[in-house]
Each structure stands twice: as C-alpha cells, then as structure tokens.
C-alpha cells in the first residue's frame, strides 16, 4: 500500500528553490569579476592572498565543526565567502601566511565563538581583517603604501590627504582620481581595484533580491550628504577607503545586520555616519571596517526597536 | 491601469494547467459516504439518525443548537451503517462524531423547496438550513457572516474568486460554468447584509473567468482583476485591495464594513435559496501526481482514495496527499479519509517532490526573505526563534504573534527551509494555553 510512504508534515508543502548555498554562490559570483581583475592587476600576490584567506576560513570551519562533532557544512559556501571577502579587504602583498591567519580568525573568533552560522554578532571577514590590522599594522596600512611609493603629495594615503584638505592644510583636486578608483586602482586593497566591477556585482545582487537596497542606500547617502555639507569631494569619499565594498558586501551581511526594513535604513545610515566621523575626526582614516563592526554591535538593538506594526494596526489597539 | 495588489506576498508556481481547461465532471456515486459532524468552525453537530435508519439524498442527518454551527446532510440515499467518533485522522477533520452511510443503488432525493419570499431573514434561514459554510477552506458558518451585529454597517460584499493556491482550479471552473449562480448568490448575500456594493476579485491569471463573471454580472457588480500573487485570496488582503480598508488583529471583516464569500459559497447560497438544495456536494480539483487530473463535483463524505481512483490512480509513487492546496492544505496520513465541505482539492505530490522534514531545525541566516514575504508585516524568523525557545509570551506581546494569518509565505521563501509556519502555530497554541491572546 502506498500509504505507508505518505509524508505527513506541516504546510506549506511546496517551497521556493532558494537555498542558503545558492545565495552564497551568487555573492561569490558577484565578486568574481573584481576578484579576477585584481589577480590580473596584482598578479600572483593577490592570488596567493585570496587562496590563503579562503583556505584559512574553510579549514577553520571544517576543523571546528569536526572538533565540536557537528555536521561539516563547507558546502553551504558561507566559509568560502567569508574567506574571499576577507581577502578583498587586504593589501595585495602580505606575507602568504597572514591571510591564512586572518581566515582562521574570521571563522574561529567571529563565527564559532558565538555558535556558528547565524549566531555571530560581528562580520566575520571584518573581524579577520581587524585581527590582522591590530597584529601587523605596518603591513596592513602605511607600510604597504610606502613600499609601493604611491605618495600622492605628502607621503600619506589619499584619504589622509582628504582630511588635510578639509582642515585647510593643503589643497588638492581629487577629480583625476575618480576614474582611477572606478576602473583600475593599484593603490588600494585587493577588492578596491575597481569600484565599477564592485558596483556591477552589487547590481546583480540587488536585482536577484539577494541584498536589499536599504543599507547601501542610506550608507552611501550619509557619506554623500556629509561630504557635501563639510566640503569634501563626495565622489572620492564614496569610491575610496573600501566604502563600496563595505556598503554593498559587508554591511549587508545577513547575520550581522538588522532584519527589519526600517532597521536596515537606520543601520546603513549609522554605518555612514560612524564611517565619516572616524575618517575626519580620528587618527584612523581607513574607518570602514570599524564603522561596520560598531554598527554590528547595535544591530540586535536596532531590530528590537524597529519591529514593524502588524497589518491593520491602529493606535487604539495599543491602549486596549 | 495598474493591476491591484497588496504589499509583499510570494509568487509560488501556478501548476494549474493540468486541470484549468477541464470542465467540471460529476464524480461517481460512491458505495459508502462518511459524514463528519464537525465540518465547520464552531459547535459540532449531533446525529439526528440512528444506525439502520434509511436516509434520503439531501436529508439533514446532524445538527445542534448553537450560534456558530452548521447542520450536515446526507448527499446520498442509503442506510446508516455506523455512528461513531472520528479518529481525527487529520487537522482538517475536527473533533466530533461521524455517520457512515451505505449507499443505495437507486437514489431518492429528499423533497426540497425554494424560498418563497426572499428577505434577509429568509435568506439567512435557508443558508443555515442548507448547512452552508465558507467553501474557501476555513469552514466558517455562512449564516454568521450574513448576520453582522446591528452596530456594524456592512456596505460592501466581496466575492472571492482569487483561488491563489497553486494547483487548484475548482473555483476557476465554477466562475466559468456557473457564473449566473455565483452572481445571484452574491446578490442574495448583499440583500442579507444590506450592502449596496458588490465586488468580485479574481486573479488576472484567469482572464476567461474574469470575462465570464463580467458578462454574468451585467453591471450589477464590479469584477476586478487582481495581481496573481499569494495570498491574494486571504480575507484581510482582499478587503484591503478592493476597498482600501484594514482592520486590526482580533477584529472581523464586518468591522471594516465588509462581508467576504468565496465564489462556491455564493453558488451554494444561490442553490439553497432558489432551489432549497442543501450543501451536499462541491467542486474540487483532484490533481498533481494522478494519471488524469480532474475538476470533480464530489458528494461530501466521499473517500479521498475513491477520487484518486476516478482520476486513474497515482501516476508516480505518491509522497504526499494533500487535502486542500499545497500552501495551506493538510497532508493526509492515509487516503481513507472523507472529503468535507471545506475541501477545495486533493493534491498529490510525487515522492521525489517531497522531502522528509529534517529532525533538526536548520540555522536561520537572517536573510530577511520571510520579512519581505509576510503580508501582515511580521518578523517570522524572530517568531520561529521565540517558538523554539518556548518564549511565546514575548512573541505574542512584542512580535504580534496573533497577527499571523498562517498563509505559509515565510516558510515558502525560507532558503534554510525552516518550518516557520509550524513553529508559529505551535507558539500560538502554547500562548493560548498560557492565556495570552495578544
């Protein structure tokens, strides 16, 4: 009798074909053009960093899950994506083992300390980057620029110059830099090699409904408005310092950003605000990672205070 | 003109092509019918007959005195062979008894007569006597809907022809083949509640039904094409789309001045008032993994297995037999179950289309797809998490648990395949046991 085999479970009995692994695949796919282009520009140095970061993240995930006797879930692609995102935030010429350490830190410190996929508070890739930044600062920041000899005017990064411009210390025209940041920027992190390719990938993610518009919109909106109000070059502010990568790929990380639509708007605006605050009023011009990590900490609270009103809500309801 | 719709919702596959062009067929006379005493919301009926007693087709066999209830009738002439309590094989089959009737070879109908003087009261009485309940699936007694409290003015009757569930085509066929009955039923509903406006809402993937209803309506009511989106046919969504009105959790459509009836309910009201016919059969779609999908006019109480047999049996190894549509229907443990008034269809999913529910609930990646799908603006992922942690009181007080209309959109879109609707339902029952209702 066929009946023995009938499955009895709660509705709905059909579901969409969306899957966690497919979502992760699309994010990786969206990042693929910029990844390949970075390898073209930076050659083997970028390739080694990318491979090592992914290896570190995947290795840590597999090792920790085996250690905790959990099912190893490398196939959901989230560890690989963490590794790739981490690599894209790194300078292109670190010692080979450093991205590996970063990948392990991203997964171990950020994800599994809090209980694995879905439970981490801080963006894993940015935690990995921060660990490297605090441990080997000279490799992660100015050392990189000095070795490449890219001093635009005063021996500092362009963003530092922007701060000096704002303070009236120097004059500098950023317009010629726009094209460089959009098309081929050899002086930034691996993922900053072309803002245009990052934007193209983000367009795909928005179109596929994989990321929502709210966070990038308010993030970039605040950066632009701030720039206009305080006399900075808005296009340069958006294109530099990893803000495109941060706004579209880091701040939109599902687990570490608010889930409510209103919460996303607030979160994005907060990222933009903290980012600009750190850029112009701290000794830390490359502030994108810290601003997103800071807002990550606030995300649960933002969610808590932006619970949507249910269908048909009327004020009198609350009083009853 | 843009096609009207509500906010959010989902786009499940239609899968209606197998049966939407097939005319309604009368299903074969079964050898036995099982009449459940509770096919409706409210008090279960009490049997009016005894074992061994002869009954006629259309004879009332169960009723009870209560405000919210409906009598039940035998759809066949035959002999009562058993009266016992129902094993409650499924959620759709509520508590209460059942009457098994052995069917005569030669059918004799009980005498029936149309309502002579059609007034709001006589319509309500006829509708109640005929045992009519909401045929969209909820099974709410129609008399109650036709009797709005005196302090609430119902000015708009909405006829629900959305049929937004996948697979089902029964309402579609009724609108095509019985448009006149639906229109007359709608006019009777409007007369009973004293409404001036009647609107028929139909999803735009049924252009032939829209045309047929417009012809039959002949200017007496408006027929509006709605976007094909689930759950377009949910009462709250439909009222908002057609009238712009909403009402809060815990209130009824009449609070928004509306009375909503499904197209088949309207046709049944027409039959009850104009011909005195009780609700003893309805149109349902038998489809999915069966050899010949059909739209069948089925006597209430016919077994699901006999309907599947009439459709040529299973075409592939069955994995799930669903009473109702695949988004809100009930998965049956056995096909030896009688259909009830609220059964809109039988959908068979093949074994390869069905995955066993995993024992462990997978982790939520907080992608927010459920939030973007929920037509009542809830945060389903959070409700699911609270349900798992037995924190239903917080779910109810802070996260509006009881605003959930149980459409299943959240679980449909979830990429992690978390059984959100199941979790939310369990939280609802736990909260109700705990005395929290808001």
């Amino acid at each position: 009798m066929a009946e023995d085999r009938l499955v009895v479970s709660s509705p709905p009995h059909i579901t969409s074909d969306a899957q966690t692994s497919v979502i992760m695949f699309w994010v990786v796919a969206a990042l693929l053009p910029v990844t390949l282009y970075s390898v073209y520009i930076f050659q083997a140095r970028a390739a080694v960093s990318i491979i090592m970061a992914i290896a570190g993240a995947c290795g840590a995930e597999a090792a920790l899950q085996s250690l905790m006797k959990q099912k190893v879930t490398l196939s959901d692609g989230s560890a690989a994506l963490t590794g790739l995102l981490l690599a894209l935030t790194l300078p292109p010429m670190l010692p080979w083992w450093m991205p590996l350490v970063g990948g392990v830190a991203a997964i171990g410190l950020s994800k599994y300390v809090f209980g694995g996929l879905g439970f981490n508070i801080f963006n894993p890739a940015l935690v990995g980057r921060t660990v490297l930044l605090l441990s080997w600062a000279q490799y992660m920041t100015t050392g990189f620029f000095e070795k490449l000899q890219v001093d635009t005017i005063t021996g500092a990064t362009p963003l530092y110059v922007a701060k000096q411009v704002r303070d009236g210390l120097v004059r500098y025209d950023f317009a010629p830099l726009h094209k460089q940041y959009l098309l081929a920027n050899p002086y930034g992190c691996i993922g900053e090699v072309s803002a245009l390719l990052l934007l193209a990938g983000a367009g795909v993610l928005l179109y596929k409904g994989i990321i929502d518009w709210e966070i990038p919109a308010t993030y970039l909106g605040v950066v632009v408005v701030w720039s206009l109000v305080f006399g900075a070059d808005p296009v340069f502010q958006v294109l530099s310092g990893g803000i495109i990568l941060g706004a579209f790929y880091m701040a939109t990380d599902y687990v570490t950003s608010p889930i409510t639509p209103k919460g996303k708007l607030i979160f994005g605006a907060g990222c933009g605000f903290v980012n600009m605050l750190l850029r112009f009023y701290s000794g830390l011009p490359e502030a994108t990672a810290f601003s997103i990590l800071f807002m990550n900490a606030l995300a649960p609270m933002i969610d808590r205070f932006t619970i949507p009103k249910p269908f048909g809500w009327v004020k009198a309801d609350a009083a009853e | 003109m843009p096609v009207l719709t509500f906010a959010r919702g989902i786009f499940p596959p239609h899968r209606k092509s197998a049966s939407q062009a097939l005319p309604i067929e009368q299903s074969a006379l079964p050898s036995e019918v099982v009449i459940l005493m509770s096919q409706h919301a409210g008090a279960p009926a009490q049997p009016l007959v005894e074992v061994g007693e002869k009954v006629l087709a259309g004879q009332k066999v169960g009723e009870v005195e209560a405000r919210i209830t409906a009598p039940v009738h035998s759809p066949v002439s035959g002999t009562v062979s058993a009266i016992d309590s129902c094993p409650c094989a499924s959620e759709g089959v509520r508590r209460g008894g059942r009457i098994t009737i052995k069917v005569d070879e030669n059918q004799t109908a009980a005498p029936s007569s149309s309502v002579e003087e059609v007034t709001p009261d006589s319509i309500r009485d006829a509708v109640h006597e005929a045992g009519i309940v909401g045929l969209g699936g909820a099974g709410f007694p129609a008399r109650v809907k036709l009797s709005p409290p005196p302090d609430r003015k119902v000015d708009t009757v909405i006829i629900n022809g959305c049929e937004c569930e996948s697979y089902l085509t029964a309402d579609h066929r009724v609108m095509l083949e019985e448009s006149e009955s639906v229109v007359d039923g709608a006019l009777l509903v409007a007369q009973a509640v004293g409404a001036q406006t009647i609107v028929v809402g139909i999803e735009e993937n049924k252009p032939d039904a829209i045309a047929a209803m417009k012809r039959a309506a002949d200017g007496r009511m408006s027929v509006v094409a709605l976007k094909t989106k689930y759950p377009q046919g949910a009462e709250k969504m439909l009222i908002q789309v057609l009238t712009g009105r909403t009402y809060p959790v815990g209130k009824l459509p009449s609070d928004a001045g509306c009375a909503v009836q499904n197209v088949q309910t309207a046709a049944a009201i027409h039959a009850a008032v104009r011909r005195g016919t009780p609700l003893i059969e309805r149109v349902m779609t038998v489809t999915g993994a069966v050899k010949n999908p059909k739209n069948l006019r089925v006597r209430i109480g016919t077994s699901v297995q006999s309907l599947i047999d009439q459709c040529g049996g299973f075409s592939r190894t069955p994995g799930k037999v669903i009473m109702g549509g695949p988004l809100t229907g009930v998965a049956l443990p056995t096909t030896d179950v009688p259909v009830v008034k609220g059964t809109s269809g039988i959908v068979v999913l093949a074994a390869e289309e069905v995955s066993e529910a995993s024992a462990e609930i997978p982790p939520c990646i907080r992608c927010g797809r459920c939030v973007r799908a929920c037509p009542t603006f809830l945060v389903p992922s959070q409700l699911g998490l609270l349900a798992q942690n037995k924190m239903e009181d917080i779910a109810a007080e802070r996260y509006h648990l009881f605003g959930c209309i149980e459409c299943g959109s959240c679980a449909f879109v979830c990429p992690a395949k978390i059984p959100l609707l199941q979790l939310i339902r369990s939280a609802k029952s736990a909260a109700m046991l705990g005395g929290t209702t808001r």
Side-chain angles (χ1 to χ4, degrees):
Chain A
M1 201 44 199
E3 292 182 0
D4 305 337
R5 295 188 294 273
L6 290 185
V7 174
V8 177
S9 60
S10 191
H13 307 292
I14 54 172
T15 55
S16 68
D17 49 14
Q19 277 179 39
T20 304
S21 55
V22 175
I23 292 171
M24 300 298 172
F25 166 83
W26 272 106
V27 183
V28 172
L31 287 169
L32 210 55
V34 80
T35 305
L36 293 177
Y37 187 57
S38 74
V39 173
Y40 171 74
I41 296 284
F42 298 118
Q43 312 271 309
R45 293 177 303 183
V48 168
S49 280
I50 291 165
I51 291 168
M52 285 298 141
I54 292 175
C58 290
E61 173 130 317
L64 287 166
Q65 285 184 324
S66 309
L67 205 66
M68 292 187 280
K69 305 213 175 349
Q70 294 174 354
K71 193 176 153 220
V72 176
T73 56
L74 283 183
S75 59
D76 72 16
S78 75
L81 175 60
T82 298
L84 176 59
L85 281 170
L86 166 67
L88 294 181
T89 69
L90 300 178
M93 27 82 72
L94 298 178
W96 65 270
W97 50 268
M98 220 180 265
L100 190 74
V101 172
V104 172
I107 294 293
L109 279 181
S110 176
K111 202 167 161 186
Y112 282 91
V113 163
F114 292 101
L117 182 62
F119 294 100
N120 48 299
I121 295 169
F122 297 105
N123 185 306
L126 293 180
V127 167
R129 176 189 150 85
T130 303
V131 166
L132 297 185
L133 184 68
L134 298 179
S135 308
W136 295 283
Q138 72 280 19
Y139 285 96
M140 291 293 290
T141 54
T142 51
F144 155 55
F145 291 101
E146 278 161 9
K147 276 181 193 166
L148 276 186
Q149 317 245 313
V150 299
D151 290 353
T152 38
I153 36 176
T154 59
T157 67
L159 272 172
Y160 184 69
V161 177
K163 192 172 163 181
Q164 292 186 312
V165 169
R166 195 272 329 250
D167 294 340
L169 299 175
V170 294
R171 295 175 64 84
Y172 188 76
D173 179 19
F174 286 101
L177 282 177
H178 294 171
K179 203 172 147 195
Q180 174 193 321
Y181 275 82
L182 270 174
L183 297 179
N185 172 26
Y187 308 130
C189 296
I190 292 175
E192 284 187 89
V193 69
S194 164
L196 199 64
L197 289 179
L198 283 176
L199 287 170
V204 171
L205 296 184
L206 284 167
Y207 174 76
K208 297 281 297 177
I210 287 171
I211 59 171
D212 290 324
W213 60 271
E214 285 98 338
I215 291 174
T218 54
Y219 193 150
L220 300 182
V222 167
V223 170
V224 167
V225 169
W226 181 300
S227 304
L228 292 175
V229 170
F230 292 99
D233 174 10
V235 179
F236 174 74
Q237 290 298 328
V238 166
L239 292 179
S240 63
I243 281 196
I244 298 284
L245 190 62
F248 288 99
Y249 296 91
M250 300 288 186
T252 54
D253 172 46
Y254 293 152
V255 179
T256 56
S257 65
I259 202 166
T260 65
K262 207 192 282 177
K264 287 177 203 270
L265 291 172
I266 295 170
F267 181 85
C271 286
F273 180 78
V274 177
N275 203 325
M276 295 309 270
L277 205 61
L278 291 179
R279 242 181 207 185
F280 287 105
Y281 297 97
S282 80
L284 194 79
E286 319 284 333
T288 303
F290 285 120
S291 66
I292 295 172
L293 288 171
F294 178 78
M295 291 307 292
N296 284 162
L298 299 184
M301 196 178 76
I302 294 173
D303 261 343
R304 170 73 178 75
F305 287 105
T306 55
I307 300 167
K309 298 277 174 272
F311 187 92
W313 175 267
V314 285
K315 272 220 172 96
D317 225 37
E320 266 178 39
Chain B
M1 197 184 105
V3 186
L4 296 172
T5 193
F6 58 97
R8 309 196 182 172
I10 58 171
F11 299 94
H14 298 180
R15 297 191 185 153
K16 292 173 188 272
S17 56
S19 59
Q20 67 187 3
L22 303 176
I24 300 166
E25 279 179 53
Q26 180 69 44
S27 83
L29 185 68
S31 57
E32 185 186 89
V33 291
V34 177
I35 309 299
L36 303 183
M37 291 296 104
S38 181
Q39 307 189 22
H40 47 260
Q46 294 295 323
L48 299 174
V49 291
E50 283 169 15
V51 175
E53 196 173 324
K54 287 269 184 196
V55 294
L56 299 174
Q59 180 182 330
K60 198 196 293 177
V61 294
E63 73 177 340
V64 74
E65 275 298 315
R67 196 177 81 83
I68 301 180
T69 186
V72 292
H73 301 76
S74 171
V76 293
S77 61
T79 313
V80 176
S81 61
I83 297 176
D84 55 7
S85 66
C86 128
C88 286
S90 65
E91 280 180 75
V93 178
R94 298 186 179 86
R95 75 206 144 80
R98 59 177 179 179
I99 299 176
T100 308
I101 298 167
K102 186 115 182 46
V103 180
D104 286 346
E105 269 177 40
N106 299 314
Q107 288 291 299
T108 323
S112 63
S113 58
S114 59
V115 175
E116 281 175 12
E117 196 186 340
V118 179
T119 65
D121 279 331
S122 70
I123 295 171
R124 277 191 280 270
D125 289 344
V127 162
H128 177 68
E129 268 310 295
I132 297 175
V133 303
L135 297 183
F140 203 73
R143 177 181 66 170
V144 183
K145 279 195 190 178
L146 297 186
S147 320
D151 56 323
R152 283 182 216 143
K153 176 85 189 96
V154 172
D155 57 13
T156 305
V157 166
I158 292 174
I159 300 299
N160 188 350
C162 290
E163 201 162 48
C164 55
E165 272 264 14
S166 302
Y167 286 97
L168 305 183
T169 57
D171 288 355
H172 183 177
R173 294 310 305 181
V174 168
M175 286 188 280
L176 274 182
E177 298 177 35
E178 297 170 28
S179 3
E180 301 288 345
S181 310
V182 175
V183 166
D184 185 56
L187 292 168
L188 290 168
V189 172
Q191 187 181 348
V193 298
Q196 296 78 43
T197 311
I198 307 175
V199 191
V200 185
I202 306 173
E203 283 191 346
E204 59 174 344
N205 64 347
K206 300 178 256 293
D208 50 350
I210 295 169
M213 288 302 296
K214 275 192 173 151
R215 262 196 310 279
D218 196 21
R220 290 172 290 176
M221 57 193 69
S222 49
V223 177
V224 180
L226 304 172
K227 190 167 174 180
T228 306
K229 183 166 86 171
Y230 181 86
Q232 185 65 73
E235 210 161 54
K236 288 188 176 189
M237 278 74 244
L238 194 59
I239 289 174
Q240 190 206 11
V241 167
L242 293 175
T243 68
R245 301 174 195 167
T246 61
Y247 52 98
V249 179
K251 299 285 183 189
L252 295 171
S254 58
D255 291 292
C258 294
V260 183
Q261 296 286 2
N262 164 272
V263 285
Q264 286 208 52
T265 317
I269 289 171
H270 156 83
V273 174
R274 305 297 183 195
R275 297 201 298 273
T277 313
L279 180 62
I280 52 173
E281 53 181 22
R282 65 159 295 156
V283 181
M284 58 186 76
T285 307
V286 182
T287 185
V290 292
K291 287 211 178 83
N292 309 306
K294 283 178 181 176
N295 296 302
L296 289 172
R297 186 180 306 283
V298 179
R299 290 173 183 82
I300 309 298
T302 306
S303 88
V304 169
Q305 183 59 51
S306 79
L307 297 177
I308 290 169
D309 292 343
Q310 282 182 61
C311 293
F314 298 118
S315 60
R316 290 180 283 169
T317 311
K320 241 182 204 183
V321 177
I322 302 159
M323 190 179 259
L327 288 157
T328 56
V330 175
L332 299 174
T334 162
T335 51
D336 183 23
V337 171
V339 300
V340 293
K341 294 171 184 174
T343 306
S344 46
I346 302 294
V347 179
V348 179
L349 298 182
E352 61 265 28
E353 296 173 296
V354 176
S355 54
E356 287 278 352
S358 64
E360 248 179 66
I361 292 170
C364 169
I365 58 167
R366 294 175 42 85
C367 67
R369 279 172 175 68
C370 54
V371 179
R372 276 185 279 161
C374 179
T376 55
F377 311 121
L378 306 179
V379 187
S381 59
Q382 193 67 28
L383 291 173
L385 209 59
L386 291 167
Q388 285 182 64
N389 291 304
K390 311 270 173 248
M391 293 161 85
E392 54 277 348
D393 45 345
I394 292 179
E397 280 157 30
R398 201 180 292 163
Y399 289 91
H400 316 292
L401 173 65
F402 287 93
C404 173
I405 58 167
E406 305 192 6
C407 66
S409 297
C410 49
F412 177 86
V413 296
C414 180
K417 312 294 171 201
I418 300 169
L420 285 166
L421 176 54
Q422 184 183 348
L423 289 168
I424 290 171
R425 280 181 173 172
S426 70
K428 273 187 173 179
S429 11
M432 278 192 276
L433 284 175
T436 318
T437 53
R438 188 178 295 269

